[in-house]
Amino acid sequence: QYLRLKLFVLQTRPSIQLRAATQADLPTLIEFEQELIAYERPFAPQLKKGKISYYDLKAYIDNPKIRVVVAVHKGEIVGSGYALIRANKPYQTPSEYVYLGFMYVRPENRGQGINREIMSDLMDWGKALGYTEFQLTVYAENKSAIKAYEKMGLVPEILTMRLDNIPPENQN
């Protein structure tokens, strides 16, 4: 029974190719970023209203010290992610680690292992450079993302807590 199910999953899983992002991918990546921000707004009331940006994707794509990947299915970009090297806090080891970010898969392509493929690629990139520590940030209320990251072996470490005492009429 398990073997039949596993074979079914393998046969129905779409073929996904991962590749380094290029400047030609920028419009799609900016669209993904805006969709990600819209999805995360309910988890982050402190985000400024209106159009904002999390990343400098144009610079990330051109930076050889940052790996930006896209997942392509049937010629269409369906997912993205990046990895970059960050300095750790002076009192922590190792001195540097690989930070993972911009994990996004189009809603209609979720649940197919695409995020796992993207993260594996980014982690392989970091390992090839000699890094053993991988970190990312996720909103505490984003349970589906936390579940996906835990499946990849990541574990929660620090939870940032905040108190917002600014009256709504004085917020951005």
Side-chain angles (χ1 to χ4, degrees):
Q1 187 84 2
Y2 171 75
L3 185 56
R4 284 185 183 161
L5 178 61
K6 187 172 182 178
L7 184 58
F8 174 76
V9 170
L10 288 173
Q11 288 175 341
T12 59
R13 185 168 175 220
S15 61
I16 300 296
Q17 291 82 40
L18 296 180
R19 64 169 173 78
T22 67
Q23 291 297 330
D25 301 326
L26 202 51
T28 300
L29 294 175
I30 291 170
E31 173 192 330
F32 284 4
E33 180 187 32
Q34 291 308 305
E35 290 176 16
L36 181 63
I37 290 167
Y39 179 79
E40 291 180 341
R41 279 192 187 278
F43 307 132
Q46 74 279 17
L47 292 178
K48 292 179 180 180
K49 294 185 186 334
K51 187 174 181 180
I52 61 169
S53 182
Y54 286 162
Y55 318 109
D56 185 352
L57 293 167
K58 185 176 183 350
Y60 284 14
I61 290 169
D62 289 337
N63 189 331
K65 295 182 180 182
I66 300 174
R67 176 148 175 87
V68 182
V69 296
V70 293
V72 180
H73 174 59
K74 295 182 179 179
E76 179 185 2
I77 298 172
V78 297
S80 63
Y82 74 74
L84 56 82
I85 309 307
R86 281 194 177 169
N88 216 340
K89 294 181 174 68
Y91 53 85
Q92 291 181 323
T93 60
S95 61
E96 293 181 322
Y97 63 91
V98 177
Y99 180 82
L100 306 174
F102 193 30
M103 300 299 139
Y104 181 83
V105 175
R106 286 190 189 275
E108 61 271 20
N109 298 101
R110 293 180 186 158
Q112 300 172 18
I114 297 171
N115 188 61
R116 173 181 289 277
E117 295 294 326
I118 292 169
M119 290 184 69
S120 292
D121 177 274
L122 296 172
M123 293 169 93
D124 288 347
W125 175 81
K127 289 174 190 173
L129 294 175
Y131 292 93
T132 58
E133 172 95 8
F134 299 86
Q135 296 182 21
L136 55 78
T137 55
V138 59
Y139 288 107
E141 295 301 315
N142 192 348
K143 303 299 184 197
S144 62
I146 292 169
K147 184 177 175 183
Y149 300 146
E150 287 176 337
K151 285 181 183 178
M152 292 296 297
L154 285 95
V155 294
E157 183 181 48
I158 293 176
L159 175 64
T160 301
M161 299 179 72
R162 61 187 298 274
L163 174 64
D164 186 355
N165 280 327
I166 302 171
E169 63 272 8
N170 293 337
Q171 292 181 1
N172 294 333

